[in-house]
């Protein structure tokens, strides 16, 4: 993995160091955090984001305004699952060893 063809170190013409993988992960996580922040701020300004906020405040008033509460809740749930998956993946990366007792299969 050190200076294999197509590796990170070879692509940027750097000498291989084990710290490069940690630096790469740091910048990857930082970029994903900024991207997630940007997307969520934009979503809140869209009509669906305003519907989510209205639904959070008063569900009966949302129904009276003609907002389909079922679809609004489902989109919120789906987008929450979409943003949760990469976060859980990155949370599991650093340790390198997973204890079997922490895995819960039902």
């Amino acid at each position: 993995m050190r200076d294999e063809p197509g590796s990170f170190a070879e692509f940027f013409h750097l000498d291989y160091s084990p710290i490069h993988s940690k630096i790469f992960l740091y910048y990857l996580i930082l970029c994903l955090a900024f991207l997630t922040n940007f997307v969520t701020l934009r979503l809140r300004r869209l009509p669906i984001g305003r519907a989510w906020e209205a639904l959070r405040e008063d569900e009966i008033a949302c129904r009276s305004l003609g907002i389909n509460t079922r679809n609004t809740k489902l989109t919120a749930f789906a987008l929450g699952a979409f943003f949760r998956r990469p976060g859980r993946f990155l949370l599991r990366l650093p340790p390198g060893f997973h204890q079997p007792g922490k895995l819960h299969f039902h």
Side-chain angles (χ1 to χ4, degrees):
M1 182 170 155
R2 293 189 174 240
D3 286 329
E4 297 173 3
S7 68
F8 181 80
E10 182 183 303
F11 182 77
F12 288 106
H13 305 291
L14 299 170
D15 294 330
Y16 177 78
S17 173
I19 195 74
H20 288 161
S21 63
K22 290 180 177 62
I23 292 171
F24 175 73
L25 282 177
Y26 171 76
Y27 283 119
L28 176 68
I29 291 169
L30 186 66
C31 289
L32 287 176
F34 281 131
L35 178 68
T36 302
N37 188 26
F38 175 74
V39 169
T40 54
L41 287 175
R42 296 292 293 174
L43 278 173
R44 288 177 63 190
R45 292 182 186 151
L46 289 174
I48 190 70
R50 296 185 191 276
W52 290 334
E53 289 181 18
L55 185 64
R56 182 185 66 206
E57 296 299 325
D58 191 3
E59 188 172 343
I60 297 170
C62 278
R63 283 193 202 130
S64 66
L65 289 173
I67 297 173
N68 188 343
T69 57
R70 180 183 56 100
N71 288 349
T72 306
K73 287 180 182 181
L74 286 175
T75 57
F77 177 76
L79 278 171
F82 175 77
F83 283 116
R84 184 180 65 219
R85 179 52 60 190
R88 289 190 64 164
F89 170 73
L90 291 173
L91 183 67
R92 293 287 183 171
L93 271 180
F97 173 73
H98 302 292
Q99 296 177 354
K102 289 189 176 186
L103 300 175
H104 300 288
F105 297 107
H106 298 284

